[in-house]
Amino acid sequence: MVTLLLDSTRLEVVLSGTERLLAFHKGNVAIERSAISKVQLTDDVWTWLRGVPSPGTHVRGVLAMGTWKSAGGDDFAIIRRHRAGVVIDLEGHPEFERIMLTTRHGLALVQALRLDVADEAEAADVAEIAAKARKPRPKRASSSPVPVPGVS
């Protein structure tokens, strides 16, 4: 699974060695926060896939990794099975128009992007950023009945 790192200026999609090999991509994918125009959560990332892998790996319904070329522009995909994920639309990125990822941290990514991340020397995982920002929920009152004086 990809790791998403976020700091005050950019989002980085960190790829494992296997993901780099299957995606035919040498390094991580760095995206300036200013280039992100829209982030959408989706139940099935496959519906957003467009074009053909070039270079990339595609096993229908199982795996799609790499650069996808289409008339709309180049996209980058890391998709496994039919799982929930995130689609990130970009404007002004030098390589890609869209990034499509299967990740269970899609909601955390959306929440973290809304926050002003403190200027740190190191980027932090989006799941950790979102978890720190969550406020503890107030405790609920017990549901046991409260005795009322004079009523039996």
Side-chain angles (χ1 to χ4, degrees):
M1 178 187 344
V2 296
T3 302
L4 302 171
L5 299 177
L6 182 69
D7 66 16
S8 61
T9 60
R10 70 183 191 155
L11 170 67
E12 187 171 359
V13 180
V14 180
L15 305 174
S16 69
T18 303
E19 290 165 339
R20 287 181 187 181
L21 180 69
L22 292 172
F24 295 93
H25 204 270
K26 290 183 180 179
N28 299 332
V29 178
I31 305 161
E32 294 297 320
R33 284 181 77 165
S34 60
I36 298 173
S37 62
K38 185 170 32 171
V39 179
Q40 301 173 71
L41 300 176
T42 180
D43 289 333
D44 190 0
V45 184
W46 287 96
T47 60
W48 292 89
L49 198 58
R50 61 185 181 182
V52 294
S54 180
T57 303
H58 180 228
V59 178
R60 184 180 295 215
V62 178
L63 180 76
M65 292 191 184
T67 301
W68 291 74
K69 297 199 181 281
S70 71
D74 293 352
D75 298 340
F76 185 77
I78 298 289
I79 303 172
R80 289 186 185 88
R81 306 251 180 229
H82 289 276
R83 297 182 180 159
V86 64
V87 177
I88 305 168
D89 289 325
L90 307 173
E91 286 183 13
H93 191 271
E95 285 184 90
F96 305 113
E97 296 291 319
R98 184 185 286 170
I99 307 288
M100 297 164 292
L101 309 166
T102 52
T103 179
R104 61 179 163 214
H105 299 298
L107 184 59
L109 173 63
V110 172
Q111 291 171 343
L113 284 170
R114 288 183 181 169
L115 300 173
D116 289 329
V117 179
D119 189 19
E120 300 175 13
E122 247 178 63
D125 191 311
V126 295
E128 293 173 9
I129 294 170
K132 288 178 187 177
R134 284 190 200 119
K135 295 179 183 174
R137 294 182 180 177
K139 293 186 178 185
R140 297 174 70 185
S142 73
S143 59
S144 59
V146 178
V148 178
V151 177
S152 350

